[in-house]
Amino acid sequence: MPWFLTLFGRDSLWGARMLLPLGTELAAGTLRVLARRQGRRTDPATGEQPGKILHELRRGEVSLPDVGLRLPPAYYGTVDATLLWINLLHDAWRWGLPAEQVEPLLAHLDAALGWLRDHADADGDGLLEYVDSTGHGLSNQGWKDSGDAIRFRDGRLATAPIALAEVQGYAHEAAVNGAALLDAFDRPGADRWREWAGRLAARFRAAYWVDGPEGPQPALALDRDKRPVNSLTSNIGHLLGTGLLDGEEQAQVARLLGGDALSGAFGLRTMSTHDAGFSPLSYHCGSVWTHDTAIVLAGLARAGFHEPALRLADGLLAAAEAFDYQMPELHGGDDRNALGRPVPYPAACRPQAWSAAAAVSLLHVAAGVYPDVPAGTVRVAPLAGPGFGAVSVTGLRVADAELGVTVDAAGHATVSGLPDGLTVTTAAIPAQRIPEPETAPRR
């Protein structure tokens, strides 16, 4: 529908982040455009708050009376875009965004961190939550923003304010990444943000872990009464690489993600088949979203969980072939073994920005290029295995220099074209052990 052809903060930030291996220009433009619209005042009607990054921008109001939705032209109803803005700025800097382009954005970084400190935790419990106070905005303000997306295992809808699991991961990552930028550009406050991240991790560990049908799992969210919303969903995969989980917790999350209940389709299901709310053609409760799968498999790969990462990559590549290599926004989460091809979702946008960007994310995982230009290093750690085999990639860009990576079937990489002043190391990410399933849930 035409109202989707517009600027979305979250979508633009994820798309730019996934496209960093092709250069930092799109990231820089995205950061600047959203910074110009960064919140300056508190306005309940639009959701604007000082330092907040907007959710969407249009020429006029959008009104959908049948579903009780009425959004102003500039709408700030998102709990995660501000955190993703900080993380994109950090990652673009690591990929080689020049200091002279980072420095004009540092005041906006301060404002974004200020939003995280002053506005993101409305009830002061140490966690980030959202609620639509207008009654006609988005009732859910994470990436799964449909009205029925946040459900308990028995299918009941959660009541806002809602504190999503992945948002706590984004916030932890933003605090640590923000601290790194503050240190690098001689600005105060870095240690306070690292301490803040440590408190958040402890709070998450105490509040979110629950017993599930397949053993311990992070809950999807906490509801208004701070009860864990105990469904098993793809959201937990976004926690990988944020620093919120320790090694044992990451391994358990990887085991859950790799099981048939979530990964038995052509990609990663948004909700487990064990949950009462699951339907393969539900918008956010069982379908497969391309960008969601790509984000999670990249996190699995970087953490060394090769087998579940390759399973998801294989599912997306099979789906891509079925869709003539133009991936839709989402497709059905039906069992891959039961059907020979993915079921199209009737109302999916196609083409769609972050679905297209997911192709570059898969290429990035296959090549395994992880630069830290400010530190003068580039680590090349490809994801080896039967899901990719031998891969040759050209046209990647680090610090505005073009480079190529060739990976043989055994996972050994060679690099060409690195810019002067950067040291490259090539080594596969060590495979991490995935725990055996528990015979009964922990009590």
Side-chain angles (χ1 to χ4, degrees), residues 208-288:
Y208 279 79
W209 282 87
V210 298
D211 293 328
E214 299 184 64
Q217 66 177 63
L220 165 60
L222 302 185
D223 74 353
R224 175 186 60 193
D225 300 316
K226 306 303 177 184
R227 294 175 301 183
V229 182
N230 58 351
S231 52
L232 177 60
T233 65
S234 64
N235 301 58
I236 65 173
H238 290 234
L239 299 172
L240 298 169
T242 65
L244 193 67
L245 305 179
D246 63 24
E248 183 179 350
E249 291 164 343
Q250 285 203 118
Q252 175 64 3
V253 166
R255 186 182 72 77
L256 294 167
L257 291 168
D260 288 343
L262 283 174
S263 289
F266 288 86
L268 183 66
R269 293 185 177 107
T270 44
M271 178 173 279
S272 156
T273 56
H274 297 321
D275 287 279
F278 170 81
S279 171
L281 283 177
S282 168
Y283 195 58
H284 285 136
C285 297
S287 60
V288 172

Side-chain angles (χ1 to χ4, degrees), residues 253-333:
V253 166
R255 186 182 72 77
L256 294 167
L257 291 168
D260 288 343
L262 283 174
S263 289
F266 288 86
L268 183 66
R269 293 185 177 107
T270 44
M271 178 173 279
S272 156
T273 56
H274 297 321
D275 287 279
F278 170 81
S279 171
L281 283 177
S282 168
Y283 195 58
H284 285 136
C285 297
S287 60
V288 172
W289 286 64
T290 306
H291 86 282
D292 182 38
T293 304
I295 290 167
V296 173
L297 80 85
L300 288 166
R302 290 194 68 168
F305 299 107
H306 297 175
E307 185 175 342
L310 287 168
R311 183 179 189 184
L312 292 179
D314 184 65
L316 276 192
L317 291 171
E321 184 175 7
F323 289 118
D324 297 324
Y325 299 98
Q326 187 184 73
M327 290 294 283
E329 179 184 25
L330 72 157
H331 55 269

Side-chain angles (χ1 to χ4, degrees), residues 5-382:
L5 188 60
T6 190
L7 173 64
F8 286 91
R10 178 191 304 117
D11 305 49
S12 301
L13 289 160
W14 269 123
R17 200 176 187 188
M18 288 192 282
L19 289 172
L20 280 171
L22 303 186
T24 60
E25 293 86 354
L26 182 64
T30 301
L31 290 162
R32 288 193 292 263
V33 166
L34 292 173
R36 284 200 293 271
R37 289 281 184 169
Q38 191 172 26
R40 294 179 175 85
R41 61 195 179 103
T42 298
D43 182 357
T46 65
E48 182 178 357
Q49 293 170 327
K52 194 175 187 182
I53 298 298
L54 60 71
H55 175 56
E56 55 191 270
L57 181 68
R58 295 184 176 85
R59 290 188 173 91
E61 181 183 89
V62 169
S63 180
L64 300 174
D66 290 346
V67 295
L69 191 69
R70 191 173 75 252
L71 303 182
Y75 180 58
Y76 289 78
T78 168
V79 71
D80 53 9
T82 309
L83 313 171
L84 296 172
W85 189 94
I86 296 170
N87 290 331
L88 177 61
L89 177 62
H90 172 269
D91 288 3
W93 171 64
R94 291 277 297 258
W95 275 89
L97 184 66
E100 58 268 24
Q101 295 189 44
V102 175
E103 286 168 347
L105 295 169
L106 293 177
H108 298 283
L109 170 66
D110 291 337
L113 289 170
W115 175 83
L116 177 56
R117 180 191 62 233
D118 299 333
H119 299 282
D121 176 16
D123 60 9
D125 68 342
L127 299 167
L128 283 71
E129 54 267 319
Y130 63 81
V131 62
D132 170 42
S133 60
T134 69
H136 54 73
L138 291 174
S139 57
N140 286 315
Q141 298 185 2
W143 88 258
K144 294 180 179 177
D145 58 4
S146 56
D148 64 349
I150 312 303
R151 293 175 173 271
F152 288 86
R153 188 184 303 154
D154 61 9
R156 288 176 297 123
L157 295 180
T159 303
I162 290 171
L164 291 170
E166 78 274 17
V167 170
Q168 316 313 313
Y170 300 159
H172 186 280
E173 187 179 19
V176 173
N177 287 345
L181 286 164
L182 294 175
D183 275 343
F185 289 89
D186 297 320
R187 298 172 83 88
D191 288 343
R192 289 197 302 273
W193 281 110
R194 282 186 278 266
E195 291 168 3
W196 185 94
R199 291 193 299 271
L200 177 62
R203 180 77 178 97
F204 183 91
R205 190 161 290 118
Y208 279 79
W209 282 87
V210 298
D211 293 328
E214 299 184 64
Q217 66 177 63
L220 165 60
L222 302 185
D223 74 353
R224 175 186 60 193
D225 300 316
K226 306 303 177 184
R227 294 175 301 183
V229 182
N230 58 351
S231 52
L232 177 60
T233 65
S234 64
N235 301 58
I236 65 173
H238 290 234
L239 299 172
L240 298 169
T242 65
L244 193 67
L245 305 179
D246 63 24
E248 183 179 350
E249 291 164 343
Q250 285 203 118
Q252 175 64 3
V253 166
R255 186 182 72 77
L256 294 167
L257 291 168
D260 288 343
L262 283 174
S263 289
F266 288 86
L268 183 66
R269 293 185 177 107
T270 44
M271 178 173 279
S272 156
T273 56
H274 297 321
D275 287 279
F278 170 81
S279 171
L281 283 177
S282 168
Y283 195 58
H284 285 136
C285 297
S287 60
V288 172
W289 286 64
T290 306
H291 86 282
D292 182 38
T293 304
I295 290 167
V296 173
L297 80 85
L300 288 166
R302 290 194 68 168
F305 299 107
H306 297 175
E307 185 175 342
L310 287 168
R311 183 179 189 184
L312 292 179
D314 184 65
L316 276 192
L317 291 171
E321 184 175 7
F323 289 118
D324 297 324
Y325 299 98
Q326 187 184 73
M327 290 294 283
E329 179 184 25
L330 72 157
H331 55 269
D334 303 270
D335 192 297
R336 184 175 176 182
N337 293 327
L339 299 175
R341 57 189 297 116
V343 175
Y345 185 86
C349 295
R350 185 181 181 204
Q352 206 263 358
W354 57 8
S355 290
V360 176
S361 184
L362 262 69
L363 198 65
H364 175 218
V365 167
V369 177
Y370 301 105
D372 186 351
V373 171
T377 62
V378 178
R379 183 169 65 109
V380 179

